[in-house]
Amino acid sequence: MTWLATPAGAVLVLFILRDVFHTLWHPTRHGGLSRLVMVSLWWLSPRLGKRRRPAGLAGPLGMVTVVATWALTVAVGWGLIYWPHMPEDFSYAAGLVPSEHAGPLDALYISLVTLATLGLGDIAPASGWLRVFAPLEALVGFVLLSATVAWILGIYPALARRRALALRLSHVRRSRATAQALDSDGGAALLDGLASDLSTITVDFLQYSESYYFHDGDENTSLPRQLRYALGLADQANGAHHPDVRLSASVLRRALDDLAVVLDERFLRTGKGPERVFAAYADDHGQPQGPDGPPQDGGSGRS
């Protein structure tokens, strides 16, 4: 029955390549395996201890686990392709007895050496089609390495943008900005900037959905904590006398609505409006909701 190993190995390799494609290069869909790993670690993190999630382990550990799973599964898959053809279709270095090095572990060893592009040469494919398949595995190993680097270079700037937006909202909240102060050209420009940043964050959640599973421990850089304030800001600015402020407030509210839709469809599935979605987002990240928007008169705007 060892002949079944080759098609089974090919299926494993294709499954991982599909998962890499949908995780990194096809942002309208999720990679099945990578999403399962990230969701599972996110679900487990608060149950392993209250200090685990605030330490920010779920996201980074999830990425490491996904990459390790990709590499190990590809190595096992290619090993299954090699195994039925050992030792007849392989050449062995002097001192190695072919019949003693033709088991599953030897096939996995060849696969790992090839995937890592080490090229030790002590056991090498000798038949024509296997001599083509081995370099293909090395190419897949290079693709996995490149994909990992691209993933890191994509997710961490997205996290930086998310935290920068949260910090900017925190700055507005802590500056004691009043509704009267927002009813101006400067207020309109501020609301426009927030709406633009929210649109970018919405796209980040679509393209780098794994960034959702990174926890922001500091309250001033935690977007889940600041979104309630952003809602209040948009709603109160909607009653301003300045027409540009009302327009900017409407755009900000639409940006918040779009973000709520993405969060709900991709992660939370509450089926509720933005207020309930943002409350669920804050709860899922272990964050209390921040205060509402600025007061109508000259108050502090603090909770």
Side-chain angles (χ1 to χ4, degrees):
M1 298 294 290
T2 55
W3 64 271
L4 288 174
T6 296
V11 168
L12 282 178
V13 171
L14 291 175
F15 171 74
I16 293 301
L17 292 179
R18 175 192 176 278
D19 194 71
V20 172
F21 175 76
H22 285 308
T23 299
L24 302 180
W25 298 309
H26 195 218
T28 58
R29 296 188 61 181
H30 290 292
L33 178 62
S34 56
R35 177 169 173 78
L36 177 63
V37 169
M38 299 294 288
V39 171
S40 298
L41 287 173
W42 181 252
W43 182 84
L44 284 172
S45 60
R47 291 160 178 81
L48 295 175
K50 292 183 178 180
R51 295 185 179 181
R52 297 289 184 177
R53 186 177 289 180
L57 292 179
L61 183 60
M63 290 185 67
V64 170
T65 304
V66 169
V67 172
T69 302
W70 283 344
L72 182 59
T73 306
V74 166
V76 170
W78 237 283
L80 289 173
I81 293 174
Y82 297 146
W83 178 36
H85 307 281
M86 296 178 67
E88 294 84 2
D89 295 326
F90 285 81
S91 62
Y92 291 77
L96 293 179
V97 179
S99 60
E100 296 179 357
H101 296 277
L105 288 179
D106 299 288
L108 180 60
Y109 162 75
I110 298 170
S111 179
L112 287 171
V113 168
T114 306
L115 185 67
T117 65
L118 294 178
L120 298 181
D122 52 345
I123 306 177
S127 65
W129 71 275
L130 282 175
R131 293 179 68 184
V132 173
F133 260 67
L136 285 178
E137 184 181 10
L139 287 175
V140 170
F142 179 75
V143 168
L144 286 177
L145 176 61
S146 302
T148 300
V149 173
W151 203 18
I152 294 172
L153 293 179
I155 281 186
Y156 279 93
L159 291 174
R161 289 189 291 269
R162 187 175 81 193
R163 291 162 181 166
L165 171 59
L167 187 59
R168 189 177 185 193
L169 284 167
S170 175
H171 287 160
V172 177
R173 175 175 60 85
R174 289 180 288 148
S175 69
R176 305 184 182 186
T178 64
Q180 182 179 2
L182 289 172
D183 196 358
S184 62
D185 291 337
L190 172 65
L191 297 174
D192 283 339
L194 293 175
S196 176
D197 291 343
L198 278 165
S199 299
T200 301
I201 300 305
T202 301
V203 173
D204 284 339
F205 277 125
L206 288 170
Q207 189 157 358
Y208 304 107
S209 58
E210 294 79 11
S211 65
Y212 176 88
Y213 304 105
F214 283 73
H215 180 81
D216 303 315
D218 184 83
E219 65 176 47
N220 292 321
T221 58
S222 173
L223 187 61
R225 186 178 176 87
Q226 305 298 332
L227 284 174
R228 183 185 177 193
Y229 175 79
L231 277 174
L233 193 68
D235 290 343
Q236 293 189 23
N238 193 50
H241 297 292
H242 199 301
D244 289 346
V245 174
R246 293 198 302 272
L247 175 61
S248 299
S250 177
V251 173
L252 176 59
R253 180 66 198 213
R254 297 291 82 75
L256 287 163
D257 291 345
D258 288 345
L259 176 59
V261 169
V262 170
L263 288 172
D264 202 41
E265 289 182 350
R266 293 286 180 118
F267 312 105
L268 300 169
R269 296 180 173 84
T270 67
K272 305 296 183 180
E275 291 81 2
R276 294 290 297 276
V277 170
F278 293 154
Y281 180 32
D283 181 67
D284 197 33
H285 280 250
Q287 291 282 354
Q289 290 194 80
D292 291 321
Q296 296 290 350
D297 49 17
S300 66
R302 293 183 179 180
S303 58

